[in-house]
Amino acid sequence: MKEKVNYKNIFKDGLITSNPVLVSLLGLCPVLAITTSIDNAIGMTFAVLLVLVLSNITISAIRKLVPDEIRIPIFIIVIATFVSCIELLMNAFTPTLYESLGLFIPLITVNCLILGRAEAFASKNKVLPSIVDGVGMALGYGLALFIVAFFREIIATQSLTISNPFNTAQYITFALNKDVINLSISFFATPAGAFIMLAIVIAVISAIQGAVSKRKALKKGDK
């Protein structure tokens, strides 16, 4: 009898339980470097989502054909191919976002999240579960990018700007009233500020998870 695949748990694992940034601490270089704005976070999320899902599909489909001795080089070639495609598309259609993300687009190739999911999941599972895993992990990664970028941009500039990557003339800016709240700290626009902000976010989430676990344990004890 075949074991039923729990797609909900696979997706939840990537999004929350084993969030690649907030729990597993994977792929931190882009998190620290490009989260100066919400636009960068969204752009990187879509790039990682496409690369992770497409590479998971391909690696899962060829997993039985790839000899164990050369699986890692082949995985890297597959990932690099999709990264190159995404890089060319972004350069052609979203040049401003492409320039903003810069070197961190081709560096997706060596992002330990992408290769880690290829080795740990896609190479051992069928295509559909691998797609769900890729989507969950990419969205979990994007969630972490969004949270860090949101607070960094708010604190550093006291505003949020969301641009249309296909037309730089179209954008929406939300500005805080400086007469009511004036907390502009430019330090958080620097890499060191990104490191501090990421540490704060991880600490807060860990505290929340600890409180939830204690509450569940107390409820079980009462029963």
Side-chain angles (χ1 to χ4, degrees):
M1 185 177 179
K2 291 184 178 180
E3 185 180 352
K4 187 177 180 180
V5 179
N6 193 324
Y7 294 105
K8 181 179 178 181
N9 282 350
I10 294 174
F11 182 79
K12 182 182 176 183
D13 190 56
L15 187 65
I16 301 171
T17 311
S18 297
N19 185 285
V21 175
L22 304 178
V23 178
S24 302
L25 304 180
L26 298 174
L28 295 185
C29 289
V31 177
L32 299 177
I34 61 93
T35 52
T36 52
S37 71
I38 291 292
D39 283 347
N40 286 351
I42 294 173
M44 181 60 74
T45 298
F46 276 108
V48 169
L49 175 65
L50 290 172
V51 172
L52 188 50
V53 171
L54 291 173
S55 60
N56 268 15
I57 290 172
T58 304
I59 290 166
S60 176
I62 66 173
R63 69 188 189 282
K64 294 182 179 179
L65 304 175
V66 177
D68 287 341
E69 296 79 6
I70 59 170
R71 69 185 188 284
I72 299 299
I74 288 179
F75 293 169
I76 292 175
I77 290 171
V78 170
I79 294 167
T81 300
F82 289 120
V83 170
S84 297
C85 293
I86 299 301
E87 185 180 9
L88 290 171
L89 289 171
M90 291 182 72
N91 191 16
F93 296 104
T94 59
T96 302
L97 182 59
Y98 173 80
E99 290 177 7
S100 181
L101 294 177
L103 180 65
F104 290 94
I105 299 174
L107 282 179
I108 293 174
T109 302
V110 292
N111 189 318
C112 47
L113 167 62
I114 312 293
L115 184 58
R117 298 322 296 170
E119 171 68 11
F121 197 94
S123 64
K124 298 177 177 64
N125 291 273
K126 293 182 179 180
V127 171
L128 188 54
S130 298
I131 293 174
V132 176
D133 176 75
V135 172
M137 285 289 170
L139 292 182
Y141 188 77
L143 177 64
L145 287 175
F146 184 87
I147 292 172
V148 175
F150 176 85
F151 287 109
R152 284 187 71 192
E153 188 172 357
I154 280 284
I155 295 174
T157 67
Q158 288 208 264
S159 65
L160 284 176
T161 300
I162 302 175
S163 304
N164 180 348
F166 300 100
N167 185 348
T168 55
Q170 298 179 13
Y171 60 90
I172 301 172
T173 299
F174 303 94
L176 297 180
N177 189 335
K178 294 185 179 181
D179 294 331
V180 178
I181 301 175
N182 192 352
L183 295 175
S184 180
I185 306 174
S186 58
F187 167 76
F188 283 98
T190 66
F195 189 83
I196 298 297
M197 180 55 66
L198 178 61
I200 292 171
V201 171
I202 292 173
V204 170
I205 290 175
S206 297
I208 293 171
Q209 289 177 334
V212 171
S213 298
K214 286 182 180 179
R215 186 171 297 178
K216 288 181 179 179
L218 288 173
K219 286 183 179 179
K220 287 181 179 180
D222 292 338
K223 292 180 180 179

